[in-house]
Amino acid sequence: MQQAQILTGGRWHAAHSGQTLALVDPSVGAPLAAIARGGAPDIDAAVISARHAFETHWEITPAVERGRHLARMAALMAAAADELARLESRDTGKPLKQSRVDATVAARYFEYYAGAADKIQGDTIPFLPGHQAFTLREPHGVTGHIIPWNYPLQMGARTVAAALCAGNALVLKPAEEACLTVMRIAELALEAGIPPDVINIVTGLGEEAGAALAAHPGIDHICFTGSPAVGALVQKAAADHNRSCTMELGGKSPQIVFADADWDKALPTVLGAIVQNAGQTCSAGSRLLVERSIYDDFVAETAKRFAKIKVGAWESDPDCGPVISEIQRARVRGFIDTAAADGIPILAQAEIDAGAAAGGYYVTPTLYGPVPRGNRLAKEEVFGPVLSAIPFDDEDDAIRLANDTDYGLTAGVWTENGGRQMRLGKALKCGQVFVNCYGAGGGVELPFGGMKRSGFGREKGLEAVHDLTVCKTVIIKHD
Ligand code: NAP
Ligand code: MG
């Protein structure tokens, strides 16, 4: 069985407590690996290592060198893409074709941020006569990163690459449910010659290692990706030290289909947006909002395709794998049970492959509709392959309905009307609006993050570098 240890200062070691946790293979429901159960002393050592790295060499490493480290890393990640994809599928249960995309995108993060490292620039500012004013964008110092289990490979790569590009040394805590590819990224970073104390990784439980990292006084900035509830805890811990953080939280993203939409473009994407990663995607298109004049026909066509979704083990490369854990399956089933109690019509269900292991955490993808606007299926994040169809009357109604959740992460709009494309791009309260496309193939260049309870701050693109640096203003009076 595979082992995952803690990485501090380039050295792999067991947890200070000596304890381990079992990592479970969601496709079969049996142990896959043992991971170190890191706690406060391990976080402490990791922060000391990152601080030492930052203060002794990383801060003064020329930007072009940081970029070269990341470029070597990109090449190693691309060469290891097949291995990384298989490992990600084993750990998370996601179909291999999807892990292959994740592996490609993960390498792209290093490629993108390699190019950005020596382009982080400040401004000169016209000020009083006899003065020169300018800004510097400086790294925070030591950044803490907490990531979830749904895309460990992509999210590990995106947050590590951006933080190093900006010149930070870091401590990362991956999720206890899936972390093997993150550990492999760390191995590759050592191979790429990235100084060994710059990336420190502590596996363990959220309430132990995660909470210790969030509360550690030696961290200068926290990047958190996960649920709004845990995000609030991490913000409270950050408040105790008056430090900054970025929050990538959940979503209840709409796919908005107008009567003039191109069905051939919209239908496969609408389906893919909820089936991808068994619906365990923060930007899952979990609400299907359809203009009333085409609602019955469009939803009937969606249902026909939905029923054909293949659900099974990752090796068979289905459309949809298992969810991550028994807890997650019970959570999704909770939504299905309340939908039954509320009498919400089921429009389609897909079947689980007969060959899928009985112990695996499979759930039946389900399309509901029409879902009443106030129902929890219309408001709450399921984080499973459950799609809620709701009709709308006109453009104003579509905007109102789309914005009528606590979340605001992404939205998809399907219309051939150019004016409407622009109006919705502006009116939707969320961090990304896609028109006649969705997900944009990883889009490492595209700033990503939420409004409302979906969080704040941005990852991806140059906005991530902005958030991972601080602006310093220098004013020189030279007469
Ligand atoms: P979660 O429970 O919030 O966990 C996320 C991370 O926080 C994990 O590493 C977890 O560790 C850690 N954690 C748990 N309790 C903690 C604590 N008290 N202090 C510090 N860290 C703690 O979320 P999840 O259930 O794993 O993931 C699903 C949620 O994440 C969904 O709401 C989803 O929408 C959101 N998400 C958002 C994005 C985005 O970019 N916007 C991306 C992916 C997921 P353990 O797992 O070891 O407990
Ligand atoms: Mg968890």
Side-chain angles (χ1 to χ4, degrees):
M1 197 163 61
Q2 201 159 338
Q3 303 280 323
Q5 292 194 306
I6 289 168
L7 177 67
T8 25
R11 199 175 64 80
W12 297 95
H13 57 90
H16 191 260
S17 67
Q19 294 185 340
T20 59
L21 298 163
L23 203 62
V24 174
D25 177 346
S27 301
V28 294
L32 168 69
I35 63 168
R37 182 173 171 173
D42 303 290
I43 290 289
D44 221 17
V47 174
I48 288 169
S49 166
R51 176 65 57 194
H52 182 262
F54 183 73
E55 289 182 354
T56 60
H57 59 87
W58 192 237
E59 186 179 15
I60 53 168
T61 298
V64 64
E65 282 304 324
R66 291 204 308 273
R68 285 177 185 147
H69 284 305
L70 294 174
R72 282 196 297 277
M73 187 61 190
L76 287 181
M77 293 278 295
D82 184 61
E83 176 212 337
L84 285 165
R86 286 175 180 281
L87 191 57
E88 186 79 332
S89 280
R90 273 176 59 212
D91 203 3
T92 63
K94 69 178 70 173
L96 189 56
K97 59 189 165 202
Q98 204 196 307
S99 293
R100 288 194 195 286
V101 173
D102 291 357
T104 305
V105 174
R108 269 287 290 142
Y109 277 115
F110 284 98
E111 185 182 33
Y112 178 85
Y113 287 112
D118 58 0
K119 296 162 193 75
I120 303 171
Q121 299 172 173
D123 292 317
T124 55
I125 302 171
F127 193 48
L128 300 173
H131 293 69
Q132 180 61 53
F134 58 93
T135 58
L136 301 170
R137 289 221 75 92
E138 297 184 340
H140 289 286
V142 175
T143 48
H145 305 252
I146 299 175
I147 63 170
W149 42 261
N150 55 348
Y151 290 85
L153 177 53
Q154 272 206 46
M155 280 180 203
R158 95 177 176 198
T159 204
V160 166
L164 298 189
C165 164
N168 300 288
L170 65 91
V171 179
L172 185 152
K173 195 215 83 78
E176 94 220 32
E177 296 90 342
C179 58
L180 295 180
T181 48
V182 173
M183 310 317 283
R184 188 70 187 112
I185 289 175
E187 278 176 356
L188 292 172
L190 293 175
E191 249 180 73
I194 294 177
D197 44 3
V198 165
I199 301 175
N200 301 274
I201 308 218
V202 181
T203 51
L205 297 174
E207 315 84 79
E208 295 175 0
L213 179 56
H216 200 287
I219 295 290
D220 299 308
H221 175 87
I222 287 264
C223 297
F224 174 81
T225 301
S227 60
V230 176
L233 293 178
V234 174
Q235 287 174 67
K236 283 176 190 153
D240 286 340
H241 302 283
N242 296 309
R243 71 170 161 241
S244 57
C245 50
T246 53
M247 291 283 138
E248 296 280 9
L249 308 175
K252 187 72 184 176
S253 299
Q255 295 282 351
I256 310 166
V257 185
F258 285 92
D260 68 343
D262 180 330
W263 288 30
D264 291 338
K265 283 188 209 154
L267 279 161
T269 311
V270 161
L271 234 67
I274 187 64
V275 165
Q276 179 177 328
N277 207 25
Q280 306 164 112
T281 303
C282 48
S283 55
S286 54
R287 290 185 295 154
L288 176 58
L289 315 184
V290 186
E291 192 159 4
R292 204 175 292 281
S293 60
I294 60 159
Y295 177 84
D296 287 342
D297 292 343
F298 189 87
V299 162
E301 186 56 36
T302 308
K304 215 190 290 170
R305 296 176 184 221
F306 201 91
K308 291 186 193 146
I309 291 168
K310 289 194 171 33
V311 186
W314 64 269
E315 297 98 324
S316 64
D317 231 354
D319 305 308
C320 181
V323 295
I324 191 74
S325 62
E326 186 54 54
I327 292 176
Q328 187 62 17
R329 179 163 67 174
R331 201 173 157 261
V332 177
R333 283 183 174 168
F335 278 91
I336 292 175
D337 290 346
T338 49
D342 292 345
I344 299 179
I346 291 177
L347 296 171
Q349 286 189 310
E351 275 173 34
I352 297 165
D353 188 290
Y361 307 129
Y362 299 93
V363 291
T364 304
T366 308
L367 169 63
Y368 290 99
V371 173
R373 294 183 177 206
N375 190 271
R376 65 188 296 229
L377 269 188
K379 299 269 193 189
E380 295 175 29
E381 184 180 48
V382 178
F383 229 51
V386 173
L387 180 58
S388 304
I390 310 172
F392 65 82
D393 295 320
D394 55 22
E395 190 177 308
D396 285 346
D397 191 36
I399 293 168
R400 212 168 21 245
L401 179 57
N403 288 338
D404 187 24
T405 76
D406 290 342
Y407 293 106
L409 192 58
T410 58
V413 179
W414 299 90
T415 177
E416 298 295 307
N417 178 324
R420 177 173 280 158
Q421 294 172 356
M422 293 299 292
R423 289 192 295 276
L424 267 87
K426 291 177 183 170
L428 295 172
K429 300 280 177 236
C430 60
Q432 282 190 337
V433 178
F434 292 94
V435 178
N436 294 338
C437 60
Y438 197 71
V444 306
E445 311 85 347
L446 308 175
F448 180 79
M451 291 187 186
K452 303 193 283 183
R453 294 205 71 194
S454 291
F456 51 83
R458 293 292 177 261
E459 300 222 27
K460 303 189 175 186
L462 295 179
E463 286 288 327
V465 178
H466 187 273
D467 284 3
L468 282 158
T469 52
V470 281
C471 174
K472 177 190 278 176
T473 310
V474 181
I475 307 102
I476 300 173
K477 186 170 189 305
H478 53 73
D479 294 325

